[in-house]
Amino acid sequence: MRFRAPRSLSPPSPQRKHRHSSTFGLNSSSESDDESDADSDSGDSVPESDSDSDSFCYASETIPSNPKQPSSRPSHVEDTIAAIRLRTRHHDPYEEWEREMKKESLRAARKNYSDAQANFHRYQSQRQLEESRRLAAAFKQDETQILKALDGWRLDQQAHENHLREMLNERNERLWGRIEASIKLEQDKVQARLDEERRIKEETERKRREQEERKRQEEERKREEEQRRKWEEDEAKRKQEEEQRKLREEKEAAAREAKERDEKLKSEAENRKAAGMTTSEDDWEEARKNLHITKTQGTRFVKANPSFKRIWNEGRRSITAKIGQLTNDDTDYQPSVSILLPQTGAVPPPIYTALLSTLAKALVLQAETEITAEKRSAIPLAQTTFNCLEQLEGFSEVLFAKMNQRIGPWVIPCPIPEKDFDGRAWKDDTEARKMQGYRLGEDGAVVETQNEYTDRVKGVMRLYFSVLKIVPRKAPLKKMFQLPRYWTWMARMLGSRTLLATPVGAEILFIALEVLGADALQIWGYQFVKMLHLIYDGATDGLGDGKLLGGSSPDGIAARARVKLEVESIMSGVR
């Protein structure tokens, strides 16, 4: 510890001047010696700056020199120095404790400071780590957003580039289109000129070739006409010879069959007359005679009389309309007869006969068209026909004659005789074919095909067999529409190989078996079985003399197969 003497107050001065040392009225040399001794004893040192800083004086102040100061120091100074020396050498425990406490406090403070600094550094490191993570996450998010923005900008840029590229391509296409159109226009002009030149050249060449071709064709045509004329003459001659041969063979076969039949009929004439049976020729002549009477005393007579013709036309229109309205309901049949035709005596006999002919023709025409298209339509038509036969007087003869007129003698059946019922021979083959039921034109030629003719015959014959199948509710019908007529028809058909050898004959035989075959088996039993056996043998092995059932045509072969199947079906009982 350093003690200093108090400084004397100096008067105020605007300027202050430092002094290098303060002696408090002592010599600097003696003071320095004493202080040096004290410092050496106590071990303390005082920096020079302390004495220098406390020593100052004013510039106006002058330190007076004391010439009278003795060379030896005064006693109070010595005491002071001695006290100072004593003080410096004194050992104070409190001060020692205070110094130790300061050291401990400083050491504790330093330790606390170092711990606080370590905690601070750890906290700062943690905060820096968290901040770095937050900054990294924010940077990552910003980076993602930036990448998204860049991707969006890139897509927009690509779309813009694509749009510009498409516009450029469209522009190029339009440009090249105009260029190509211009080129094509020029090419078309050149091509048109070349085509025109080529066309003119080809036209000239074509005319030359056509002229040569016409000349060649004319020569070829003349040569072909000459060859065709010769071939037609030869073919016509051959056909005529073939037809004459066939006609001669048919006539010879028919003559042989007629001779055999006549001989057989002569031998059976008495028995047939006793039984009241007729031959096929008798039935055909009777049908032709009834048809002639119906025309002369009915239709032709009515047409010649205007008053009768008016009544007949009204009835004819009514009959045509009613026949076309038939159904499968049995209740419609009975009242239809009363409105189809008036009873006998209600109109004059010629009109009644003409109306019977009209009704018969309407029924036959309906059979030719409707039954040909759908065979089930034969049921209502057959019932209506049966009712008319049962209730209308004279209708049986007229209907049978009309059937014989429309389809030929198949309803009897028999070959066409050489003469009419009155003994008149046929004018030519055209009239004979008309008697067979073929439709002829004004020039006498057949106006329908063989299939059309066969279909018409099949429709009418299905109607005929369907009428035979119906059981009478009152009195029996005329003999040509009774059920035993079926046996007669089958016997006559099987007895004529000429009819069986035609496709039409085989088709009609199949219809007869289909409609009434099963019923005939129940009625005639074993006798009909023998007839079926005969039919099956004819369909399988032939009719003899090289003839086949139905002939050798495709239609005949198909009809023969159907006949065989129908016979097998009847014998097996499976329908």
Side-chain angles (χ1 to χ4, degrees), residues 563-574:
V563 169
K564 291 175 62 177
L565 292 175
E566 188 62 29
V567 172
E568 294 174 356
S569 176
I570 293 172
M571 294 301 298
S572 62
V574 179

Side-chain angles (χ1 to χ4, degrees), residues 132-157:
S132 62
R133 290 177 180 175
R134 186 185 64 79
L135 292 176
F139 176 75
K140 188 65 176 179
Q141 184 177 3
D142 294 341
E143 182 183 7
T144 303
Q145 293 178 356
I146 292 172
L147 291 177
K148 289 182 179 179
L150 290 176
D151 292 339
W153 294 339
R154 190 179 299 107
L155 293 176
D156 294 340
Q157 182 68 19

Side-chain angles (χ1 to χ4, degrees), residues 438-452:
Y438 286 96
R439 291 178 180 175
L440 303 179
E442 295 180 357
D443 55 352
V446 178
V447 295
E448 64 180 353
T449 62
Q450 184 64 32
N451 290 334
E452 292 175 349

Side-chain angles (χ1 to χ4, degrees), residues 1 3 14 71 87 126 143 165 182 191 200 207 215 229 234 306 311 315 322 353 357 388 441 460 527 570:
M1 183 177 294
F3 294 93
S71 57
R87 180 64 181 172
Q126 184 68 23
E143 182 183 7
R165 192 177 294 108
S182 301
Q191 187 66 30
I200 295 173
K207 289 181 179 180
K215 185 177 180 181
R229 185 180 60 80
D234 296 340
I311 300 174
K322 296 301 179 181
T353 304
S357 177
C388 293
V460 176
Q527 296 298 325
I570 293 172

